[in-house]
Amino acid sequence: MTAELRAIARSIVESDKGILAADESTGTITKRFDAIAVESTEENRRSYRNLLFTTAGMEEFIGGVILFDETIRQRSDDGTAFPELLAAMGVVPGIKVDTGAHPLAGAPGETITEGLDGLRKRLADYYQQGARFAKWRATLSVGERLPSRYCVRVNAQALARYASLCQETGIVPIVEPEVLMDTDHSIDACYDATARTLQALFAELAVQRVDLEGILLKPNMVIPGKGNADQASPERIARATLDCFRRYVPAVVPGIVFLSGGQAEVEATVNLDAINGLDGRVWPLSFSYGRALQASTLQAWQGLEENVEAAQAVFLHRARCNAAAVGGRYDAGLEALGSA
Ligand code: 13P
């Protein structure tokens, strides 16, 4: 089991590949569809995911796709179950298993991620359906005295319980502690919150006997809040990020896959490229982007069949740019090729 988990984790991030996070819950994908005036019906959601997953050539840049519960049960236009379709392309199917962030009792403004009840059984079912990795996202807000030690601790404990159950089932857990960037904090405040979160997380993973060689870590970059006047350069973000992870993430972790967290598409690519331009990297530093891989694809699609090919070209382009960033080979010239 251990060797299998390690092999899966490594295969997802080999050859500069990253992850497509296509696990938007029905509520979240509905928001994305609202922005392009597409009705969020089950068929439209299937059809959009079909567009993404049948993009020819995406397997060169995408090693894993995270699915939502509805999506893992759906089929492509030709009737193939999505997990089967992805696996046949050499792309590892994954599944979001948390049931969302909910208010944390006694901690105004903070959340605890739920979904542990019945998780062992759900994981076994998802394994049967082809899932070989999973995702659980904890969210931490930065602010006056936030995140609290209480919030950091209980989310670390829940992440570790989830990770341990995944490994028991033969599923690689993506462990995702996300320090949110939607307030106005400084890059130093993000560094501090990220450092405290990672410290607590790895302590708890050790207590709960999680095999660190059979996980992937999905963190935020160390980056200022959106509303902060001092928006740091990619070089500063890259240095702060690598410094923080070198201090708090064990070297045996097989890969770090960043979330985009509200960064614009090109910004997320440029920052990833800057991180991979630095010396002192210990693990593959890749991407597990949702919005930063899909925003322009959704715009190009607009819910119309005649736009599918163009939208797939846009998606392939973003995937290619991000894989280039993992290799530290991205430059702005690549963007021009995408719009050609
Ligand atoms: P974003 O890249 O849009 O932040 O989404 C990644 C993700 O899966 C968050 O859990």
Side-chain angles (χ1 to χ4, degrees), residues 4-268:
E4 246 170 72
L5 289 173
R6 293 175 185 181
I8 296 165
R10 280 198 300 263
S11 76
I12 294 172
V13 290
E14 75 188 2
S15 314
D16 296 343
K17 286 187 281 192
I19 294 173
L20 165 65
D23 60 322
E24 296 86 358
S25 63
T26 304
T28 302
I29 197 73
T30 299
K31 264 194 264 165
R32 307 276 185 265
F33 280 12
D34 283 351
I36 53 167
V38 171
E39 198 188 342
S40 182
T41 60
E42 184 175 347
E43 172 52 21
N44 283 345
R45 294 191 293 270
R46 188 205 63 79
S47 173
Y48 173 61
R49 267 63 181 251
N50 182 80
L51 176 164
L52 293 173
F53 307 159
T54 61
T55 296
M58 70 102 161
E59 67 276 14
E60 197 185 326
F61 313 114
I62 302 291
V65 172
I66 318 174
L67 305 169
F68 180 58
D69 181 74
E70 175 184 270
T71 322
I72 200 169
R73 301 163 200 282
Q74 288 177 324
R75 291 174 181 274
S76 65
D77 289 351
D78 75 2
T80 313
F82 279 142
E84 201 183 313
L85 175 93
L86 292 167
M89 294 162 76
V91 177
V92 184
I95 180 76
K96 183 225 297 290
V97 300
D98 68 68
T99 55
H102 297 269
L104 176 62
E110 300 199 288
T111 61
I112 177 70
T113 298
E114 293 184 358
L116 288 170
D117 289 349
L119 183 56
R120 177 178 271 136
K121 165 82 171 64
R122 286 199 290 132
L123 286 167
D125 292 346
Y126 287 137
Y127 187 94
Q128 288 303 321
Q129 289 166 53
R132 291 295 178 269
F133 75 99
K135 177 188 116 171
W136 179 288
R137 170 176 178 252
T139 55
L140 300 122
S141 294
V142 184
E144 186 71 30
R145 294 172 193 264
L146 298 189
S148 68
R149 215 151 65 99
Y150 165 33
C151 178
V152 167
R153 180 184 291 174
V154 292
N155 274 292
Q157 285 169 342
L159 276 164
R161 286 200 57 201
Y162 140 83
S164 176
L165 284 164
C166 283
Q167 291 191 335
E168 178 189 84
T169 316
I171 287 182
V172 170
I174 290 195
V175 175
E176 180 177 358
E178 177 175 5
V179 173
L180 297 168
M181 60 179 285
D182 56 6
T183 46
D184 60 359
H185 54 271
S186 66
I187 189 169
D188 292 343
C190 179
Y191 187 111
D192 175 66
T194 305
R196 291 197 289 121
T197 300
L198 292 172
Q199 261 183 309
L201 175 64
F202 283 98
E204 203 55 53
L205 291 172
V207 169
Q208 299 194 35
R209 305 176 186 172
V210 173
D211 175 7
L212 296 186
E213 293 187 64
I215 70 166
L216 290 169
L217 177 68
K218 174 163 174 171
N220 52 285
M221 295 178 189
V222 175
I223 195 167
K226 276 201 157 201
N228 191 280
D230 179 15
Q231 286 299 311
S233 67
E235 289 66 33
R236 184 153 165 233
I237 290 167
R239 282 186 198 290
T241 301
L242 186 59
D243 183 80
C244 187
F245 288 91
R246 277 172 56 91
R247 276 172 212 275
Y248 300 108
V249 180
V252 295
V253 170
I256 296 182
V257 289
F258 293 102
L259 55 91
S260 58
Q263 296 180 58
E265 286 186 337
V266 173
E267 182 187 7

